[in-house]
Amino acid sequence: MKNKKTFRSNLITYLLVIVAFVICQLVLEGAIPGVKMTRSLKGQLVPICVYIVMAVSLNLTVGISGELSLGHAGFMSVGAFSGIVMSSWLVSAFQFENETIRLIIAMVTGGVFAGAAGVLIGIPVLRLRGDYLAIVTLAFGEIIRNVMNCLYFSLDGKALYIGFNNPSLPGKLLVNGPAGATGVDKISTFTMGFAPIIFTLFVVLNLINSRSGRAIMAIRDNRIAAESMGINVTKYKMMAFVTSAVLAGMAGALYGLNYSTVVASKFRFDTSILVLVFVVLGGIGNIRGSIIAATVLTILPEVLRAFSDYRMLVYAIVLIVVMLATNSPLLRNLVERIRPKKKAEAKGGDAV
Amino acid sequence: MISFLSHLVNGISLGSVYAIIALGYSMVYGIAKMLNFAHGDVIMVGAYITFCATQYWGLPPVVSVLAAMLVCTVLGVVIERLAYKPLRAATSLAVLITAIGMSYFLQNAAQLIWGANPKSFPSVITLPTLSLMGGQLLISGETMVTVLANVIIMIVLTIFTSKTKMGRAMRAVSEDKGAAELMGINVNATISLTFAIGSALAAVAGVLLCSAYPALMPTTGSMPGIKAFTAAVFGGIGSIPGALVGGLLLGVIEILGKAYISMELGDAFVFAVLIIVLLVKPTGLLGKKVHEKV
């Protein structure tokens, strides 16, 4: 019965994303009369895909694995720059112009490099706990940003040159240290942005409902008990952390190839926090919630344009009020009184 | 040698500012067990109030700083009452997100009031520059006042927390909230007091920071805030001497790293040292080791 329930719940999540995608496509093509997207909203479509992937992958670390990570944007940054370099190298070395395949290869590359960074960072980070773990992920995010600011890449035919703190490289400069990557081919599209979302959902939802996923959640709920049951704590923590990093790297590549100029300072601490906000507002450990929160909160500043200068202020107030409201005992009691049946059912379900 | 000494002096000066900010983080963390991300932005508000007081209202520097401290104290207490107090029973992540929301709010409110362009902050310190070793080593008035302020604040706070009734109440609450309440300590008032002290210190730190680095913007406080938080963790969060040690070390490492290793990698160097320290001593330099009960 439990399995049937998770199956149905997962199905709803997939359907939600697919239906939203189809509606967006129909609106974009003008198939629905009277409904039109503004230009600024159209510009947000790829970022929404990116942030959904980011939020779901961070939810794997924060919600499922129970480790507060404040440096998720670092992986995004690694993915973005490696993806950009890969996509340009394909053109320069092989005159390979097919945008879709280039984007896919770039996303895979971004994922691989971010995953490698995840392994490197995970080894020291996962030895710590609680707030200390959070501050070290923050530190790693800042280190990645600083190092990216010192990296130079240039392309000369098939050759790819890398310079550290050294801009005098042969060929055409592609990534120029603090000035970032310039003249990037904008090959990301909304349609291709949809693919990593489905891939992420597939990976994360299957992981959660697998033996490994249950091990990860067991460690989250009680590390000592899990360890004494013979669960390899380091292995499963690393599994969640690195999977999350790989997915963030993919999102990063998609993001990087959506703009003609990308600078490393875009992937600051603020971006990590922004994604964390999506996760917490959507509900920690709730994948569907992350998707909805990422979408709504990315669109919200655009919708609030009517408030012009006040929009970010209103955004901040909305954030605080939502947090206060969802955590206030008064409201919780009210919800419980309205839906007592469901609550009891959920409790019974957990006990089974 | 001389250049090393002058870098060291700069590092201690910057480190003193970090130490004062780190105190605010550390005290609030010790008592409320929350990361108050809006703390960095209270620094910025303090600096703006001082800027307005000296530039627009023509108040003397000392009065301006006092005004800034007063405004920040009220601000800190109001923030705590409105945003953090209702969440005392909530998960720490919920409080963290609320604090981040508060930080956005303060930054954007400041941007609406004072504009996004950086303002040139006039130094409120009029002390002459001290010239040592035949004029080779210069110590600015700002540096001297910063270090002196840091020392005074540390001494006063140490005495306050160990000798006075209120200070002891603060320590009791940070150790065990429930037991402190049973002993007749007003927990809410104590938490408000902690926020008040932390925010007043943030105002001082803001003035000192902007006197040394005079570009004042709505985001001025965020990076020093993060670094000071790092300093607090570095020294052992919740401990007053820890904040001092962490702040000073962080400032010195940052300046020396920027001077001798790489200008661009200065921040990366700071965070790398933090990671190494935490791996060797997981609760910071002066933090207490917490044993895990099974």
Side-chain angles (χ1 to χ4, degrees):
Chain A
M1 141 130 198
K2 176 103 191 199
N3 275 334
K4 208 170 167 187
K5 221 174 187 177
T6 44
F7 176 73
R8 203 193 296 150
S9 166
N10 290 351
L11 205 64
I12 292 174
T13 312
Y14 285 120
L15 275 179
L16 179 85
V17 175
I18 293 170
V19 167
F21 171 74
V22 169
I23 290 176
C24 279
Q25 281 292 12
L26 288 178
V27 171
L28 276 178
E29 280 164 22
I32 305 171
V35 185
K36 263 191 187 160
M37 251 184 236
T38 59
R39 259 197 75 201
S40 64
L41 203 59
K42 268 184 200 162
Q44 291 296 321
L45 285 177
V46 175
I48 287 174
C49 297
V50 171
Y51 286 126
I52 288 177
V53 175
M54 288 295 287
V56 173
S57 63
L58 184 64
N59 207 341
L60 182 61
T61 317
V62 176
I64 310 302
S65 181
E67 316 280 8
L68 177 57
S69 165
L70 296 176
H72 211 50
F75 299 125
M76 195 182 174
S77 170
V78 172
F81 284 100
S82 53
I84 287 170
V85 170
M86 184 47 127
S87 108
S88 303
W89 184 68
L90 283 176
V91 175
S92 158
F94 305 110
Q95 281 77 46
F96 192 81
E97 303 281 355
N98 187 327
E99 294 192 347
T100 311
I101 296 178
R102 255 168 70 206
L103 183 64
I104 293 173
I105 296 177
M107 283 198 280
V108 172
T109 315
V112 168
F113 276 88
V119 173
L120 278 180
I121 293 171
I123 293 168
V125 161
L126 295 175
R127 291 180 45 180
L128 298 165
R129 261 171 242 142
D131 293 332
Y132 292 95
L133 186 139
I135 188 84
V136 168
T137 53
L138 188 163
F140 267 116
E142 290 297 303
I143 289 176
I144 289 179
R145 183 171 65 84
N146 265 286
V147 170
M148 285 293 171
N149 261 333
C150 297
L151 278 185
Y152 296 83
F153 286 97
S154 78
L155 282 171
D156 191 7
K158 277 195 178 176
L160 171 70
Y161 297 96
I162 304 170
F164 191 75
N165 243 341
N166 170 23
S168 50
L169 296 171
K172 186 174 155 275
L173 209 55
L174 180 66
V175 177
N176 184 11
T182 44
V184 181
D185 275 356
K186 294 200 272 180
I187 55 176
S188 294
T189 56
F190 178 50
T191 317
M192 282 311 292
F194 177 64
I197 297 182
I198 292 295
F199 178 72
T200 305
L201 282 180
F202 180 74
V203 170
V204 173
L205 290 178
N206 279 309
L207 179 63
I208 292 174
N209 297 315
S210 71
R211 192 186 162 88
S212 307
R214 286 189 290 273
I216 293 168
M217 284 185 277
I219 296 168
R220 170 195 69 188
D221 293 338
N222 192 329
R223 193 181 54 83
I224 294 170
E227 210 167 6
S228 64
M229 297 304 285
I231 292 174
N232 184 342
V233 172
T234 316
K235 178 183 152 193
Y236 287 109
K237 272 188 173 180
M238 276 298 269
M239 187 188 278
F241 195 73
V242 173
T243 309
S244 162
V246 169
L247 296 173
M250 275 172 42
L254 180 68
Y255 187 85
L257 291 165
N258 189 38
Y259 300 95
S260 54
T261 310
V262 181
V263 289
S265 54
K266 179 73 194 83
F267 308 104
R268 289 166 43 135
F269 170 66
D270 300 24
T271 311
S272 306
I273 291 294
L274 185 73
V275 179
L276 183 65
V277 167
F278 298 154
V279 173
V280 176
L281 275 187
I284 295 166
N286 186 335
I287 303 296
R288 210 182 307 152
S290 292
I291 298 173
I292 296 169
T295 313
V296 170
L297 287 182
T298 313
I299 300 174
L300 189 62
E302 300 300 321
V303 176
L304 291 176
R305 259 179 209 283
F307 293 92
S308 64
D309 289 347
Y310 295 92
R311 72 188 177 115
M312 284 316 284
L313 198 69
V314 176
Y315 180 86
I317 295 172
V318 169
L319 194 61
I320 297 172
V321 169
V322 168
M323 281 330 280
L324 289 180
T326 49
N327 282 290
S328 87
L330 207 77
L331 202 85
R332 285 211 165 158
N333 286 342
L334 205 71
V335 172
E336 253 167 62
R337 214 174 300 161
I338 296 169
R339 312 175 5 191
K341 216 171 146 191
K342 206 158 183 184
K343 185 90 187 170
E345 198 185 344
K347 265 187 187 156
D350 279 345
V352 174
Chain B
M1 186 63 205
I2 293 294
S3 73
F4 175 77
L5 275 183
S6 88
H7 287 314
L8 194 66
V9 169
N10 284 339
I12 290 174
S13 167
L14 182 64
S16 300
V17 177
Y18 286 159
I20 299 173
I21 309 171
L23 264 182
Y25 267 117
S26 212
M27 284 167 62
V28 166
Y29 184 87
I31 286 210
K33 295 281 176 287
M34 66 165 288
L35 302 177
N36 182 13
F37 262 101
H39 194 69
D41 302 291
V42 177
I43 299 169
M44 174 270 301
V45 173
Y48 268 113
I49 299 290
T50 317
F51 177 82
C52 288
T54 51
Q55 298 301 103
Y56 302 150
W57 311 326
L59 295 176
V62 176
V63 182
S64 319
V65 176
L66 287 177
M69 284 172 76
L70 187 71
V71 171
C72 285
T73 307
V74 173
L75 184 68
V77 173
V78 169
I79 288 175
E80 198 269 328
R81 276 287 149 90
L82 287 183
Y84 304 152
K85 197 179 162 198
L87 293 178
R88 215 162 274 165
T91 58
S92 63
L93 257 180
V95 190
L96 181 75
I97 301 293
T98 314
I100 290 162
M102 213 42 169
S103 161
Y104 282 166
F105 178 81
L106 289 178
Q107 278 180 19
N108 287 294
Q111 188 169 335
L112 284 178
I113 300 171
W114 291 293
N117 292 333
K119 292 201 179 337
S120 169
F121 189 88
S123 179
V124 292
I125 296 153
T126 46
L127 233 64
T129 299
L130 188 67
S131 161
L132 291 176
M133 297 191 185
Q136 283 179 301
L137 179 64
L138 298 174
I139 301 177
S140 67
E142 283 85 8
T143 301
M144 285 185 287
V145 172
T146 306
V147 174
L148 192 70
N150 183 23
V151 171
I152 293 173
I153 288 170
M154 290 296 160
I155 293 174
V156 169
L157 266 185
T158 311
I159 294 173
F160 176 76
T161 49
S162 56
K163 302 282 180 211
T164 64
K165 206 169 178 181
M166 275 200 257
R168 264 179 265 167
M170 267 164 65
R171 277 165 49 214
V173 173
S174 81
E175 240 166 59
D176 190 331
K177 212 179 277 173
E181 203 158 19
L182 291 175
M183 294 298 125
I185 292 170
N186 186 341
V187 171
N188 282 333
T190 312
I191 292 180
S192 290
L193 178 74
T194 313
F195 270 86
I197 295 175
S199 306
L201 291 180
V204 177
V207 173
L208 293 173
L209 183 75
C210 288
S211 296
Y213 302 87
L216 178 57
M217 288 183 282
T219 51
T220 291
S222 61
M223 201 59 202
I226 291 175
K227 285 201 191 135
F229 172 45
T230 312
V233 176
F234 191 40
I237 201 155
S239 131
I240 290 178
L244 176 69
V245 172
L248 284 180
L249 276 179
L250 206 74
V252 171
I253 291 170
E254 182 180 339
I255 297 282
L256 290 184
K258 274 185 180 163
Y260 291 108
I261 295 174
S262 158
M263 192 65 200
E264 286 81 20
L265 286 176
D267 290 350
F269 196 60
V270 167
F271 289 118
V273 172
L274 168 88
I275 292 168
I276 293 167
V277 168
L278 284 187
L279 285 179
V280 180
K281 268 200 89 161
T283 49
L285 288 175
L286 301 181
K288 275 186 216 132
K289 197 171 177 202
V290 184
H291 290 279
E292 212 171 342
K293 281 180 199 153
V294 180

